[in-house]
Amino acid sequence: MRWIFLFVLVAMTTIGCATNCQNVQQKLDVCQATLTDQDFIIKKQESTIRQKDEQIAGQNKTIEKMGVNIAELERQLDISSNEKGRKDERVRDIAASVREYIQKQMRENTNFLTGIALEDFVGDELIQREHSGDEKMMIVNVAHPVPSGGQINGIGGYFSGTSDVIIKLLRPVGNDYVVIYNKELKFEAEGSGKTYVDFDSPFIVKKGDVIAYYFPGPVNVPYDSNIGTNAYSEMGSDEYAQGDRIAAEDIWHADQVKRKYSLNYYGIFYTRVGSE
């Protein structure tokens, strides 16, 4: 009976061990599968990380190349800026030289033109006359209106010294005149004699326009009396700016002696003076 009990005990022990071993084996298999899956996931993540690293390395190379390109562009811009500055300086120097040359040519052309009369001269002869010595006068050359459309390039006068004069172009509008141009001139005259003064820009004129001369100081131009016109008057300051209107009765003064001043103007007109 004892042997039967021992056999039964051993059998039961063997059966329990087998069951436990089977359970352990199953757990080991599950762990092995889990480890395999995790290893796959890790390898996949490592591959992704390597791809990201390669992308970052490529981007770093691109950024480095862009930095080199930017530095080169900045270098070229600096060079261009310096060249532009030097070019602007050269242009200014050339422009100044050209202006000086043109002014010189204009002065020489004036002497040339007055000698051969390529331009028309309108007004009275520039000669020494009997009277002088007035101050603050406006003289309106109504006796010699502009003969036709064209341009006035300057004035002439028999000046006895340095003069300030404001040249006005008056355009008839009804019974009045409107100041179209106002040009201030200041020039020196060495002794008495003919002086021609070029405008820096011409007056564009119409037929019938009239030139007026306002002297804010001494009138260093001689005149003869009892001849010419009575379109002159004393004026303490310049009362007529560009765009102002002048009544005809403020130009002609029938109660004063006529005068002829040694003043004229010159320019290029569509119809030659004396050809009509």
Side-chain angles (χ1 to χ4, degrees):
M1 189 70 178
R2 180 185 301 173
W3 291 106
I4 294 171
F5 177 77
L6 290 172
F7 178 77
V8 171
L9 180 63
V10 169
M12 291 177 65
T13 303
T14 304
I15 292 170
C17 182
T19 300
N20 290 334
C21 289
Q22 186 176 3
N23 290 336
V24 170
Q25 184 63 43
Q26 288 176 351
K27 291 181 179 179
L28 288 172
D29 291 341
V30 171
C31 289
Q32 184 65 37
T34 300
L35 290 173
T36 301
D37 291 342
Q38 289 180 345
D39 185 58
F40 175 76
I41 292 171
I42 291 170
K43 288 182 178 178
K44 186 176 180 180
Q45 290 177 342
E46 288 178 346
S47 175
T48 301
I49 290 171
R50 282 195 300 272
Q51 290 177 358
K52 295 292 185 183
D53 288 340
E54 290 175 356
Q55 290 178 357
I56 291 171
Q59 290 175 350
N60 287 336
K61 289 182 179 179
T62 301
I63 291 171
E64 182 180 357
K65 185 176 180 180
M66 290 175 64
V68 172
N69 291 338
I70 290 172
E72 176 61 18
L73 286 173
E74 289 178 345
R75 185 185 70 84
Q76 293 179 8
L77 285 173
D78 288 340
I79 293 173
S80 298
S81 178
N82 291 334
E83 289 178 345
K84 184 178 183 299
R86 287 192 289 270
K87 182 178 179 181
D88 290 344
E89 185 178 353
R90 289 197 299 272
V91 169
R92 286 193 297 269
D93 291 342
I94 291 172
S97 298
V98 170
R99 281 195 297 270
E100 183 179 356
Y101 174 78
I102 290 174
Q103 290 173 352
K104 181 180 178 182
Q105 291 299 308
M106 289 177 65
R107 289 192 295 270
E108 293 178 354
N109 288 343
T110 297
N111 295 332
F112 174 73
L113 291 172
T114 54
I116 63 174
L118 290 179
E119 291 178 297
D120 285 318
F121 287 76
V122 182
D124 294 310
E125 292 294 327
L126 307 185
I127 59 175
Q128 178 63 55
R129 298 183 186 273
E130 185 177 0
H131 304 287
S132 62
D134 289 331
E135 292 188 359
K136 301 183 183 299
M137 298 282 295
M138 186 168 80
I139 303 163
V140 185
N141 199 347
V142 292
H144 300 283
V146 172
S148 72
Q151 66 182 48
I152 295 176
N153 296 328
I155 63 164
Y158 192 93
F159 293 98
S160 59
T162 299
S163 297
D164 293 333
V165 59
I166 300 174
I167 307 301
K168 301 175 184 291
L169 180 71
L170 309 183
R171 181 159 296 166
V173 179
N175 293 325
D176 300 333
Y177 291 86
V178 173
V179 181
I180 303 299
Y181 290 103
N182 227 26
K183 186 181 294 293
E184 297 184 15
L185 300 177
K186 181 181 179 66
F187 56 92
E188 295 182 359
E190 298 179 358
S192 297
K194 294 181 182 180
T195 299
Y196 296 95
V197 184
D198 290 324
F199 296 162
D200 53 2
S201 58
F203 287 177
I204 305 303
V205 297
K206 294 182 178 181
K207 182 177 181 178
D209 289 347
V210 173
I211 286 288
Y213 311 79
Y214 174 65
F215 293 84
V219 183
N220 291 325
V221 178
Y223 67 91
D224 289 325
S225 60
N226 295 310
I227 187 173
T229 69
N230 50 17
Y232 62 92
S233 59
E234 294 184 6
M235 195 163 66
S237 61
D238 188 4
E239 300 177 4
Y240 304 110
Q242 186 168 327
D244 285 352
R245 203 176 188 96
I246 307 177
E249 56 266 24
D250 292 334
I251 293 178
W252 280 280
H253 304 279
D255 58 340
Q256 61 187 19
V257 178
K258 293 181 179 181
R259 291 181 179 181
K260 178 179 286 190
Y261 284 87
S262 290
L263 289 168
N264 63 24
Y265 60 91
Y266 54 90
I268 299 174
F269 308 102
Y270 302 147
T271 302
R272 298 287 296 182
V273 174
S275 64
E276 293 182 342

